[in-house]
Amino acid sequence: MGSMERLTDELEAPLLDVRSYRVIRLPNKLEALLVHDPETDKASASVNVKVGSFSDADDMPGMAHAVEHLLFMGTKKYPKENAYSQYLTAHSGYSNAYTASTETNYFFEVGASSQSDSDTTEPAGEPPLYGALDRFAQFFVAPLFLSETLDRELKAVDSENKKNLQSDNWRLSQLNKSLSNPKHPFHHFSTGNLETLRDAPRKRGLDIRKEFMDFHDKHYSANRMKLVVLGKESLGELESWVAELFADVKNKDLPPNRWPGIQPYSDKEVLTQVFAKPVMDSRLLDIYFLYQDEEELYKTQPSRYISHLIGHEGPGSILAYIKAKGWANGLSAGAMEVCRGSAFFTVSIRLTSEGLKEYQEVVKTVFQYISLIKESPPQQWIVDEIKGMAEVDFRFKQKSPASSFTSKLSSVMQKPLPREWLLSGSMLIREFDADAIRHALSYLRTDNYRLTIVSQEFPGDWDHKEKWYGTEYRTEKIPADFEAAVRKAGESTAKDRPSELHLPHINEFIPTRLTVEKKEVPEPTKYPKLIRNDDGIRTWWKKDDRFWVPKGNIITTLRNPLAGTTPANVVKTKLYCELVKDALVEYSYDAELAGLEYSLSNSSLGLDIDISGYNDKMPVLLEKVLVSMRDLEVKPDRFKIVKERLLRGYRNWDFQQPYRQVGDFTRWLGTERGWINEQYLAELPHITPDDVSTFYPQLLHQVHLEVLAHGNLYKEDALRMTKLIESTLKLRALPESQRQVRRNLILPEGTDLTYQRDLVDPANVNNCIEYYLYVGNVADMVLRAKLLLLGQMTDEPGFDQLRTKEQLGYIVFTGARMAATTMGYRVIIQSERSTGYLEERINAFLAMFAKSLDNMTQQEFESHKKSLINKRLEKIKNLDQETSRFWGHIGSEYYHFLQVEDDVAHIKPLTKQDLIDFFTHYIHPTSPHRAKLTVHMIAQTSPQAVKARVSASEQTEKVMSLLTKSLTSLGVAVDEETFAKRFENVNIAGGDQVAIIAAIGKYLTKDAQVSTEQSQLVIQQGTQLMGTILPSLGIEVQPAVDGEQDLPEAPPVKKTTLIENVHGYKASLEVSAGPRPVTDLSEYEDFEPKL
């Protein structure tokens, strides 16, 4: 074996980057990028393995994904299955991984130091990064693939797959794959499920554990791995750790995976159109061109020129034209890498209802624009504009979270970039190459594409179902007349094309003033200054003293209680915002390309305007947004399109995953005044253009204006922009007495309430529960510190017990829930199990944790405190993060700018007894004092929902009938009377699957006298059948946890009360005090005229 090589210490880096870098190659050919960051408080590492789902066996899809899961389940050196996660949690860290088509990416983040930043008196122990790297490296050295964890993790994969079954993104992506060339691995089903990874392989006689170990052995090799390590330690120390810990990763000198001579689409797939029915009400047109692999074209990146022009939204663009026709709301375009040698160039268009009818005209317009691009030579000024903005963006690139950085860079390292360009290679265009652009354009031909048209209504005669997700679709060759029309459009000349189509103009928003006046400061200021504070306006300002980038953020709230007083007002305010944005699309797109963006949104308090990006042209964009808001003309044709889009959005809300819905109901049940989606949906059809025209001036007429100006902005800039808002909108002050006071409801001690909702999506298989325990006022810093510490303590054990061990579902979350004025502890689980069972298991977990807390050593307790303090003191990474923190404190109306420091001050003195007392009073399931509210989201397909429609006797009768038919089909003669006697003492309707299978077994061996071998085969198939039959008849199957001892016992708890009348429930509760500044605002005032 050779010696370690240093490939380079010189990486092209952003202007303000203080990090130092080194790229090394170990003797085993594992390549690593080492990053020394003297300022970081988070360390991280990532390994990218150049193998993914494209390498799955054809008859065992999901193998790469399953192996990714199984590597977390113990290694030879650290055999305890959650040793890795426990270590990370104890050191303010976490981990994750993902499996892609041709790579698998593992990463973690951990505290950079074993000490908390607030306490350097304690002696430093083993650096957390070293300990985490040691455990992490073993994934690739000696994973155990523990047999006792196998079924559990495969169930986790299955649960992850079921989570995505109703997601249109996953469904449409898989449809494209399933309808691709079967000879190309793009055709694969990448996630896997229990059938593909366990049941079917076992039926074929395979030892599945061996299959996974063989996959790891066959595909995981040091020469296919790229490692990135980021820490405070010197490059020399990081180098020695990597050399020590990763030396034992075996190098098998595996060749790179390649699929030469095959493309994702064959002649059979091109020139076809696929009609697909989505779950959500959406209308999409996707044009897929087979395209070139651009991995070696990193200097020129020709697809960026093409996507810039096709995806443009300004005057002359495809979108501007088809939007004016009333055919579309949005368009995006770009290259999508498939694997080495294969790619797509995709144009994706969001259609209106009229656009759906005219989709062929839309396709022709796209090809007319492509012909327009091709007829002129590639324009160097356009490439220079793209190139110039990319250089500015890279020059002033700020830090991202540590694990985001390492995960992304380990993937980038797999590309054939010069190692000096690892940071910049994918961002910067280095050369203008007209020939490369012409060649790239040659792939956008009229004989080299496939169409996908997505709609719930059109054409209506879908005649196929996709194998893995069940998506309804129809596919056909593009009709000859349509194909001819497209060919004609692709050959069109200037006289044939609409005159409205033309190349974009020079972008006037490109920033030219990029200077930053940097002043050394002993410590960055922790709060903005209040530079204007009168009856109608409050302006906060902070000149950036931390990041020194030529960027700024202006965030504005126009507070007006009208915006949220009724659901109808909320909808009118939302429509107004959407109409303003709709009117600004063409104008604002240039600004967006030039790194300057705006948003306009509604909230319960009023309207929010955000302007963010390079500060050079910020006032220009702000003024345009304000004038558009003030002078909006509500045009009936655009109103109809925007209203219909909003209507679909409200309807689609019910088809989100349940865990994304449940929080809205918990929030609604916790607020004095507030609304939910169904109330907006009821109002929207009745709102007219005149309603919005007469309403929006009232929103702007009388408001309280609050502004935050932060970044490369001087005090006078902030005051000028405040004045611009005030004068443009002609604001009149809203008296303090008329401003809305936000209040939450207080759950009384001893309360136990449950709110149930049936999920709207009939095909969703998952239930969801949010289990909420009220703790107190959000401003109570002592209670808040205890709640945050409890969240830290239960994070890893909650995940380990409820997801990993009990396999309740893929989505498991525990921690604090903060509302406007109150706070509490919550657990969220999305699962196929019934919500009643989930609640029981949460009670059992909390009772189990109470014992763990009692038995916790002082060292473990202090470790949790230290980990939480480090998390609270985590450094802000970029300007936007600091702006968000400031605005969070301003928007909350507590103005608690020093909350982090106060949290730490209140966490430090906490004792173990403090937490035991807190837990016993507020959290323990048997506490007479605790106040609990649970929200149950129930799937229509769940036993819980089906049970309401089927009696116990009907359930028993149907199960017996199905069992009889099943046994007969397997060649077993059934005497119905004898068979029924075996079930006399079996609780079929109670879901006692073990007793059902035992009764079948006795009948087979004692009554039917079948052979032991046949009996075992029938029992195996019968067990699988029960898992499907019983839930479909409303029978909740009694749980059995694979390879585990008895589950922790759930304590007896008081009976819950169902909330059947929400208005009455809210009327019975007291409300909290409203938010008030924690510090007199006069302490922040700075009215001096100087900068």
Side-chain angles (χ1 to χ4, degrees):
M1 189 179 285
S3 59
M4 187 188 72
E5 298 175 73
R6 288 187 182 171
L7 303 183
T8 184
D9 279 14
E10 302 295 328
L11 265 66
E12 188 174 36
L15 181 67
L16 300 168
D17 193 346
V18 298
R19 294 166 170 169
S20 49
Y21 301 91
R22 177 175 296 163
V23 183
I24 62 172
R25 186 185 294 120
L26 300 184
N28 59 7
K29 297 188 180 177
L30 187 149
E31 194 176 59
L33 168 63
L34 313 174
V35 186
H36 162 60
D37 186 341
E39 298 176 351
T40 192
D41 56 352
K42 287 288 185 182
S44 176
S46 173
V47 166
N48 187 284
V49 189
K50 194 62 175 170
V51 65
S53 61
F54 279 13
S55 298
D56 289 346
D58 289 341
D59 59 356
M60 207 167 168
M63 286 185 79
H65 184 210
V67 167
E68 172 227 303
H69 274 250
L70 291 164
L71 290 199
F72 285 81
M73 295 291 107
T75 60
K76 188 174 180 181
K77 185 173 181 179
Y78 296 100
K80 188 178 175 185
E81 66 181 65
N82 63 336
Y84 175 61
S85 60
Q86 276 187 335
Y87 184 88
L88 295 179
T89 302
H91 294 89
S92 315
Y94 69 91
S95 69
N96 212 334
Y98 67 81
T99 302
S101 299
T102 59
E103 63 182 38
T104 307
N105 194 290
Y106 302 84
F107 57 91
F108 71 80
E109 190 170 297
V110 73
S113 169
S114 59
Q115 304 166 310
S116 76
D117 286 358
S118 66
D119 185 5
T120 54
T121 59
E122 183 183 334
E126 174 189 85
L129 176 57
Y130 180 87
L133 270 179
D134 185 18
R135 289 157 177 80
F136 185 53
Q138 293 303 308
F139 282 27
F140 314 103
V141 175
L144 289 176
F145 292 91
L146 293 168
S147 54
E148 60 267 29
T149 69
L150 200 60
D151 263 22
R152 285 209 316 264
E153 277 312 298
L154 294 182
K155 284 181 178 177
V157 170
D158 190 64
S159 181
E160 183 178 352
N161 179 57
K162 283 175 175 168
K163 170 181 73 73
N164 299 327
L165 287 178
Q166 291 300 100
S167 163
D168 280 327
N169 285 340
W170 285 89
R171 291 165 71 89
L172 295 172
S173 172
Q174 185 60 50
L175 181 63
N176 188 28
K177 290 161 161 262
S178 294
L179 296 179
S180 67
N181 183 357
K183 294 179 180 177
H184 194 283
F186 183 71
H187 186 74
H188 283 179
F189 166 50
S190 58
T191 310
N193 58 32
L194 272 181
E195 175 64 22
T196 68
L197 293 168
R198 186 190 69 180
D199 299 342
R202 280 180 177 166
K203 285 177 188 173
R204 297 196 301 271
L206 295 180
D207 177 344
I208 57 170
R209 177 170 178 263
K210 183 176 182 301
E211 294 296 316
F212 296 129
M213 293 173 75
D214 287 349
F215 183 94
H216 186 273
D217 187 56
K218 179 181 177 183
H219 292 291
Y220 276 55
S221 172
N223 74 305
R224 281 186 174 177
M225 297 180 188
K226 306 298 181 186
L227 167 67
V228 179
V229 181
L230 181 154
K232 278 178 100 90
E233 292 77 12
S234 69
L235 291 176
E237 190 163 13
L238 294 175
E239 183 177 270
S240 67
W241 290 356
V242 167
E244 171 199 350
L245 298 173
F246 286 86
D248 291 335
V249 180
K250 288 181 184 174
N251 176 30
K252 300 155 193 171
D253 274 323
L254 298 178
N257 283 310
R258 294 286 186 271
W259 295 271
I262 321 171
Q263 286 298 321
Y265 293 163
S266 66
D267 291 345
K268 184 181 174 184
E269 286 82 38
V270 294
L271 294 181
T272 58
Q273 53 185 9
V274 179
F275 297 94
K277 184 181 181 182
V279 172
M280 292 194 176
D281 189 1
S282 60
R283 292 182 294 265
L284 298 170
L285 167 64
D286 289 327
I287 309 174
Y288 292 93
F289 295 94
L290 281 173
Y291 189 66
Q292 64 181 355
D293 168 21
E294 287 193 350
E295 271 209 346
E296 299 284 353
L297 304 178
Y298 48 82
K299 289 183 180 179
T300 56
Q301 301 181 50
S303 65
R304 286 173 68 175
Y305 177 87
I306 304 171
S307 61
H308 174 80
L309 295 176
I310 293 178
H312 211 281
E313 298 179 12
S317 66
I318 297 170
L319 181 62
Y321 178 74
I322 58 179
K323 184 168 175 265
K325 290 280 190 182
W327 294 342
N329 292 313
L331 182 151
S332 60
M336 180 183 89
E337 180 188 349
V338 174
C339 61
R340 283 309 296 267
S342 300
F344 291 117
F345 190 95
T346 308
V347 182
S348 186
I349 301 166
R350 296 199 309 273
L351 299 173
T352 63
S353 54
E354 283 301 308
L356 183 64
K357 296 173 191 172
E358 302 289 345
Y359 83 91
Q360 295 187 359
E361 292 300 316
V362 175
V363 173
K364 284 157 59 177
T365 303
V366 172
F367 277 96
Q368 286 174 327
Y369 198 87
I370 290 170
S371 74
L372 183 154
I373 300 171
K374 288 179 176 179
E375 76 180 8
S376 331
Q379 305 290 298
Q380 181 159 358
W381 73 266
I382 294 176
V383 173
D384 287 345
E385 201 171 84
I386 302 167
K387 181 172 174 284
M389 268 316 303
E391 287 165 358
V392 169
D393 287 339
F394 180 71
R395 183 181 172 198
F396 297 107
K397 185 174 170 60
Q398 299 172 77
K399 287 182 183 177
S400 55
S403 57
S404 300
F405 173 85
T406 57
S407 175
K408 181 180 178 183
L409 260 291
S410 66
S411 177
V412 168
M413 286 180 75
Q414 298 285 8
K415 298 183 182 300
L417 288 164
R419 302 294 89 175
E420 292 80 8
W421 291 355
L422 287 175
L423 301 176
S424 60
S426 57
M427 286 187 72
L428 298 184
I429 296 174
R430 298 172 194 276
E431 297 174 3
F432 168 67
D433 187 336
D435 289 338
I437 292 171
R438 286 191 196 95
H439 181 71
L441 281 165
S442 72
Y443 287 89
L444 275 58
R445 302 190 311 272
T446 57
D447 62 349
N448 187 44
Y449 69 95
R450 178 164 85 179
L451 303 179
T452 301
I453 300 97
V454 179
S455 165
Q456 285 191 336
E457 298 92 26
F458 178 78
D461 57 346
W462 310 278
D463 53 4
H464 290 81
K465 277 196 174 183
E466 191 275 324
K467 178 179 180 179
W468 302 108
Y469 288 80
T471 304
E472 293 182 67
Y473 72 93
R474 192 183 93 201
T475 183
E476 63 188 25
K477 278 289 180 184
I478 289 176
D481 58 340
F482 179 27
E483 185 186 343
V486 170
R487 196 161 51 246
K488 183 179 177 183
E491 296 166 355
S492 63
T493 59
K495 62 181 174 52
D496 306 317
R497 286 190 296 267
S499 59
E500 295 94 330
L501 294 177
H502 57 79
L503 294 179
H505 50 236
I506 291 171
N507 190 343
E508 301 295 339
F509 274 100
I510 298 290
T512 54
R513 202 165 48 96
L514 295 166
T515 53
V516 179
E517 184 185 5
K518 185 172 181 179
K519 293 181 178 178
E520 292 301 324
V521 291
E523 187 182 2
T525 309
K526 293 180 178 177
Y527 50 82
K529 294 176 180 178
L530 187 55
I531 58 173
R532 179 172 173 182
N533 189 16
D534 49 46
D535 287 345
I537 296 174
R538 192 179 286 142
T539 300
W540 299 88
W541 162 76
K542 182 189 169 186
K543 174 76 170 69
D544 173 41
D545 56 3
R546 191 189 291 263
F547 302 106
W548 313 110
V549 289
K551 295 184 175 185
N553 294 309
I554 299 283
I555 307 186
T556 299
T557 281
L558 303 170
R559 288 198 180 95
N560 184 328
L562 271 178
T565 49
T566 65
N569 278 11
V570 172
V571 175
K572 283 186 277 190
T573 308
K574 176 74 171 173
L575 277 167
Y576 166 65
C577 292
E578 293 303 310
L579 286 162
V580 171
K581 290 189 284 188
D582 184 70
L584 279 168
V585 167
E586 288 185 38
Y587 179 86
S588 63
Y589 187 71
D590 272 354
E592 187 181 327
L593 288 176
L596 183 61
E597 299 183 10
Y598 85 98
S599 71
L600 174 64
S601 57
N602 63 307
S603 72
S604 60
L605 297 180
L607 293 169
D608 294 333
I609 311 166
D610 298 2
I611 310 282
S612 61
Y614 295 105
N615 57 279
D616 183 16
K617 309 285 196 323
M618 189 174 272
V620 178
L621 180 58
L622 175 61
E623 183 172 19
K624 181 67 175 181
V625 171
L626 293 169
V627 169
S628 299
M629 289 173 65
R630 183 194 67 199
D631 298 340
L632 176 70
E633 179 188 349
V634 182
K635 298 175 180 176
D637 59 335
R638 295 312 302 169
F639 177 84
K640 180 183 176 183
I641 289 169
V642 169
K643 178 180 175 179
E644 192 273 340
R645 189 171 70 211
L646 187 57
L647 185 65
R648 283 188 290 122
Y650 286 145
R651 285 177 181 156
N652 288 340
W653 188 92
D654 286 314
F655 290 84
Q656 298 177 98
Q657 293 191 45
Y659 79 96
R660 296 189 182 278
Q661 300 180 40
V662 70
D664 270 29
F665 291 104
T666 310
R667 173 196 52 76
W668 176 54
L669 293 167
T671 53
E672 181 186 20
R673 287 191 331 158
W675 321 109
I676 52 175
N677 185 73
E678 66 184 34
Q679 294 167 310
Y680 305 143
L681 187 56
E683 295 297 332
L684 181 57
H686 306 290
I687 295 172
T688 66
D690 285 345
D691 291 333
V692 177
S693 293
T694 55
F695 178 71
Y696 86 77
Q698 299 173 53
L699 280 178
L700 305 179
H701 175 59
Q702 193 172 22
V703 303
H704 178 259
L705 174 66
E706 190 141 24
V707 178
L708 169 65
H710 176 223
N712 191 36
L713 301 165
Y714 290 97
K715 186 176 182 179
E716 291 308 312
D717 296 328
L719 291 170
R720 265 197 302 271
M721 283 191 269
T722 302
K723 192 70 180 172
L724 178 64
I725 299 167
E726 181 183 21
S727 59
T728 305
L729 298 181
K730 301 180 174 61
L731 300 180
R732 181 175 159 227
L734 180 74
E736 190 173 24
S737 60
Q738 294 181 34
R739 295 178 206 163
Q740 182 181 334
V741 178
R742 284 179 294 178
R743 300 177 189 274
N744 286 112
L745 299 171
I746 297 172
L747 291 179
E749 282 196 355
T751 299
D752 194 311
L753 298 164
T754 299
Y755 180 72
Q756 293 185 342
R757 296 280 298 200
D758 287 340
L759 287 154
V760 172
D761 183 358
N764 166 67
V765 298
N766 285 309
N767 303 300
C768 187
I769 184 173
E770 180 161 2
Y771 179 111
Y772 174 75
L773 301 171
Y774 172 83
V775 168
N777 192 297
V778 78
D780 185 326
M781 294 304 294
V782 175
L783 274 180
R784 176 182 160 89
K786 293 174 183 176
L787 176 61
L788 292 173
L789 185 53
L790 175 66
Q792 156 69 27
M793 289 174 154
T794 59
D795 181 40
E796 194 280 331
F799 188 88
D800 182 58
Q801 182 63 36
L802 298 172
R803 180 184 146 172
T804 305
K805 288 192 169 71
E806 299 195 25
Q807 283 296 308
L808 294 179
Y810 186 74
I811 302 295
V812 173
F813 172 80
T814 61
R817 179 188 178 97
M818 301 294 174
T821 60
T822 58
M823 61 186 173
Y825 179 83
R826 70 169 171 185
V827 181
I828 292 177
I829 304 176
Q830 180 172 292
S831 171
E832 291 181 80
R833 311 296 311 183
S834 73
T835 52
Y837 180 72
L838 296 177
E839 185 156 341
E840 179 186 302
R841 299 317 307 152
I842 294 169
N843 286 333
F845 164 68
L846 292 175
M848 182 186 79
F849 180 77
K851 294 174 186 173
S852 299
L853 182 57
D854 282 338
N855 297 326
M856 189 177 290
T857 66
Q858 191 60 34
Q859 183 181 0
E860 289 173 323
F861 180 77
E862 292 300 325
S863 175
H864 279 299
K865 282 170 59 179
K866 187 192 301 178
S867 184
L868 176 60
I869 287 170
N870 279 340
K871 283 178 185 174
R872 295 301 295 139
L873 291 173
E874 183 175 345
K875 289 180 180 177
I876 293 167
K877 303 293 186 294
N878 51 55
L879 185 73
D880 289 346
Q881 278 190 6
E882 187 170 49
T883 302
S884 295
R885 179 178 287 187
F886 288 156
W887 189 247
H889 295 313
I890 293 167
S892 74
E893 298 179 277
Y894 284 103
Y895 302 94
H896 197 173
F897 296 111
L898 300 179
Q899 186 180 65
V900 166
E901 291 76 9
D902 283 355
D903 279 341
V904 171
H906 286 86
I907 293 164
K908 276 186 177 180
L910 290 178
T911 65
K912 178 181 161 183
Q913 191 59 48
D914 290 335
L915 258 290
I916 290 173
D917 293 343
F918 172 80
F919 189 91
T920 304
H921 184 92
Y922 291 100
I923 310 297
H924 199 288
T926 62
S927 168
H929 305 287
R930 78 170 191 162
K932 179 170 77 72
L933 168 68
T934 51
V935 178
H936 291 196
M937 309 289 289
I938 301 169
Q940 292 184 35
T941 56
S942 72
Q944 203 171 346
V946 175
K947 193 173 184 177
R949 307 190 291 269
V950 186
S951 68
S953 60
E954 286 177 302
Q955 289 171 329
T956 302
E957 185 181 332
K958 287 183 178 180
V959 170
M960 293 299 292
S961 173
L962 287 166
L963 285 175
T964 301
K965 289 177 183 176
S966 177
L967 289 175
T968 303
S969 71
L970 291 169
V972 178
V974 179
D975 180 295
E976 293 188 16
E977 187 177 340
T978 308
F979 190 53
K981 281 184 179 177
R982 287 291 176 191
F983 288 85
E984 283 179 348
N985 297 314
V986 176
N987 184 7
I988 292 176
D992 192 345
Q993 184 174 339
V994 174
I996 295 170
I997 297 300
I1000 295 171
K1002 286 178 182 176
Y1003 176 80
L1004 291 171
T1005 54
K1006 296 188 176 179
D1007 301 325
Q1009 296 187 344
V1010 302
S1011 69
T1012 304
E1013 187 178 345
Q1014 188 186 1
S1015 175
Q1016 288 175 345
L1017 181 65
V1018 171
I1019 291 289
Q1020 184 183 7
Q1021 294 186 4
T1023 303
Q1024 293 175 10
L1025 188 65
M1026 285 298 98
T1028 305
I1029 289 175
L1030 297 182
S1032 72
L1033 293 172
I1035 299 170
E1036 177 73 16
V1037 180
Q1038 295 296 323
V1041 179
D1042 299 316
E1044 291 295 323
Q1045 298 175 349
D1046 292 339
L1047 295 175
E1049 189 177 347
V1053 293
K1054 67 184 292 185
K1055 189 176 179 182
T1056 191
T1057 301
L1058 284 178
I1059 298 172
E1060 294 177 343
N1061 182 321
V1062 173
H1063 180 76
Y1065 148 79
K1066 289 190 176 187
S1068 70
L1069 300 180
E1070 294 183 2
V1071 296
S1072 68
R1076 297 167 63 189
V1078 297
T1079 304
D1080 193 298
L1081 296 188
S1082 63
E1083 294 196 18
Y1084 300 110
E1085 289 179 349
D1086 177 7
F1087 298 149
E1088 294 294 321
K1090 295 290 180 189
L1091 305 179

